[in-house]
């Protein structure tokens, strides 16, 4: 018999809440949480953080289930449309694919504000959710609150903020200044950058115009200095930075250098953007 994906715990309890979180039932989990609070039952910080993670991951909506053909088909159509937009030069965002935007005072914000105590995981979950669904200014405001409470963001949260940084500023220099501020914060808080950190920097530099070309090469040098192996997304962002600045002249020298780098190597997916490398390279060559 297949394992049931329906909740099995019927009584109102924290265990029932944890079960619905594990089953990724966003609305049901929020309902149980609210009922527990109304009944005067305290919910542990660990369980509340798990609920917050779930809400922020799916944008305060239930994820599309594989046993719902209509929802799956709608999701496929939306993703196909988004891929078409991306090939025309628009960077992919979760809010584009899912049709979800961060609503004012949604359940994530409401529950966060109701929490009698919060830790770094609480703040980081909210920041990552806000970035994922396009609430960039809010994300940086929550990050400021985190700092004011003498807490430290984790590397995944810094990566999200770095990728979002260009959305808050108009001028290229200001975009880059905000990125470098975040990198300084990482150093001061002794948060070790990883491959996805540098890929986030390169992705952000795609929105920094000619400035991106100089800084991207310095970033690549830093990656190699730290003995971090680049992923396909690393090279995809490099191509995007240089090709955008020289798109009217066809393929650029950087493309040939990148292809020399990847030739004969095998790559393991490490970044969600890895999948775009070959299609983007072929698109540039065919121009």
């Amino acid at each position: 018999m297949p394992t049931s994906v329906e909740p099995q715990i019927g009584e109102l309890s924290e265990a029932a809440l944890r079960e619905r979180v594990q089953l990724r039932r966003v609305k049901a989990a929020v309902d149980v949480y609210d009922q527990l609070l109304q009944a005067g039952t305290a919910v542990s910080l660990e369980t509340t953080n798990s609920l917050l993670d779930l809400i922020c991951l799916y944008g305060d909506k239930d994820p599309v289930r594989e046993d719902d053909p209509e929802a799956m088909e709608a999701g496929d159509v939306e993703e196909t449309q988004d891929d078409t937009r991306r090939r025309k030069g628009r960077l992919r965002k979760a809010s584009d694919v899912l049709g979800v935007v961060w609503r004012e005072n949604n359940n994530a914000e409401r529950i966060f504000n109701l929490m009698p105590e919060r830790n770094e995981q609480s703040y980081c979950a909210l920041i990552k959710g806000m970035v994922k669904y396009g609430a960039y200014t809010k994300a940086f405001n929550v990050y400021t609150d985190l700092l004011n409470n003498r807490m430290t963001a984790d590397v995944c949260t810094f990566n999200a903020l770095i990728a979002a940084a260009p959305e808050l500023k108009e001028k290229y220099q200001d975009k880059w200044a905000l990125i470098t501020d975040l990198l300084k914060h990482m150093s001061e808080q002794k948060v070790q950058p990883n491959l996805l950190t540098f890929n986030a920097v390169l992705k952000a530099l795609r929105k920094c115009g000619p400035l991106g070309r100089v800084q991207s090469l310095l970033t690549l040098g830093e990656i190699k200095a730290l003995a971090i192996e680049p992923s396909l997304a690393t090279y995809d962002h490099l191509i995007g930075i240089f090709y955008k600045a020289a798109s009217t002249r066809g393929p650029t020298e950087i493309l040939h250098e990148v292809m020399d780098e990847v030739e004969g190597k095998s790559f393991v997916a490490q970044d969600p953007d890895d999948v775009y490398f070959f299609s983007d390279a072929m698109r540039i060559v065919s121009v």
Side-chain angles (χ1 to χ4, degrees), residues 16 25 36 42 61 69 71 101 104-105 107 112 118 129 133 165 174 178 203 207 210 215 228 232 242 257 259 285-286:
R25 299 298 182 91
L36 286 169
K61 290 182 178 292
V101 294
E104 187 76 19
N105 297 319
N107 281 317
F112 181 84
R118 310 179 188 102
Y133 295 103
D174 293 340
L178 183 53
K203 188 171 187 176
K207 300 179 181 180
Q215 297 300 337
I228 295 175
L232 289 174
F242 279 82
E257 293 177 4
M259 295 309 294
V285 169
S286 64

Side-chain angles (χ1 to χ4, degrees), residues 172-184:
Y172 296 145
Q173 288 287 355
D174 293 340
K175 295 174 189 284
W176 177 242
L178 183 53
I179 294 167
T180 55
D181 282 346
L182 290 167
L183 293 172
K184 288 176 183 176

Side-chain angles (χ1 to χ4, degrees), residues 65-222:
R65 295 171 56 181
E66 293 182 3
D67 59 354
D68 187 347
E70 291 185 4
M72 288 290 290
E73 184 177 349
D76 290 342
V77 170
E78 287 180 1
E79 187 153 354
T80 300
Q81 291 172 340
D82 180 76
D83 287 341
T84 301
R85 288 194 295 267
R86 187 183 184 279
R87 285 194 292 270
K88 292 180 180 179
R90 179 180 177 183
L91 290 179
R92 180 187 183 97
K93 294 190 297 186
S95 55
D96 292 332
V97 178
L98 304 176
V100 178
V101 294
W102 190 268
R103 292 182 294 105
E104 187 76 19
N105 297 319
N106 64 8
N107 281 317
E109 288 188 43
R110 180 176 65 83
I111 290 172
F112 181 84
N113 290 328
L114 286 172
M115 294 172 70
E117 61 173 320
R118 310 179 188 102
N119 61 10
E120 292 170 344
Q121 183 182 345
S122 315
Y123 282 93
C124 289
L126 193 61
I127 291 168
K128 288 182 288 187
M130 287 173 168
V131 169
K132 183 173 183 179
Y133 295 103
Y136 307 119
T137 300
K138 277 179 170 285
F140 275 83
N141 288 340
V142 174
Y143 174 64
T144 299
D145 289 343
L146 177 147
L147 295 179
N148 290 339
N149 283 282
R150 301 181 182 277
M151 295 183 185
T152 301
D154 60 27
V155 66
C156 294
T157 303
F158 273 113
N159 295 350
L161 289 169
I162 289 169
E167 307 296 339
L168 272 71
K169 303 293 182 180
E170 293 293 330
K171 296 180 179 179
Y172 296 145
Q173 288 287 355
D174 293 340
K175 295 174 189 284
W176 177 242
L178 183 53
I179 294 167
T180 55
D181 282 346
L182 290 167
L183 293 172
K184 288 176 183 176
H185 288 184
M186 290 185 73
S187 177
E188 292 166 358
Q189 297 173 36
K190 302 187 186 310
V191 178
Q192 184 68 31
N194 57 20
L195 171 65
L196 296 183
T197 306
F198 292 107
N199 282 357
V201 172
L202 292 171
K203 188 171 187 176
L205 285 171
R206 295 178 77 149
K207 300 179 181 180
C208 291
L211 177 66
R213 301 179 71 176
V214 176
Q215 297 300 337
S216 65
L217 294 179
L218 294 175
T219 302
L220 183 61
E222 186 70 16

Side-chain angles (χ1 to χ4, degrees), residues 251-263:
T252 62
E253 184 179 345
I254 192 71
L255 176 60
H256 300 293
E257 293 177 4
V258 165
M259 295 309 294
D260 288 341
E261 282 283 333
V262 303
E263 186 176 4

Side-chain angles (χ1 to χ4, degrees), residues 3-36:
T3 303
S4 174
V5 294
E6 296 296 325
Q8 300 299 301
I9 302 175
E11 72 273 9
L12 184 62
S13 64
E14 186 167 331
L17 172 56
R18 287 196 298 269
E19 179 190 47
R20 283 151 181 80
V21 170
Q22 291 169 355
L23 293 174
R24 301 186 179 187
R25 299 298 182 91
V26 177
K27 294 179 180 179
V30 170
D31 286 344
V32 171
Y33 176 84
D34 286 339
Q35 291 173 37
L36 286 169

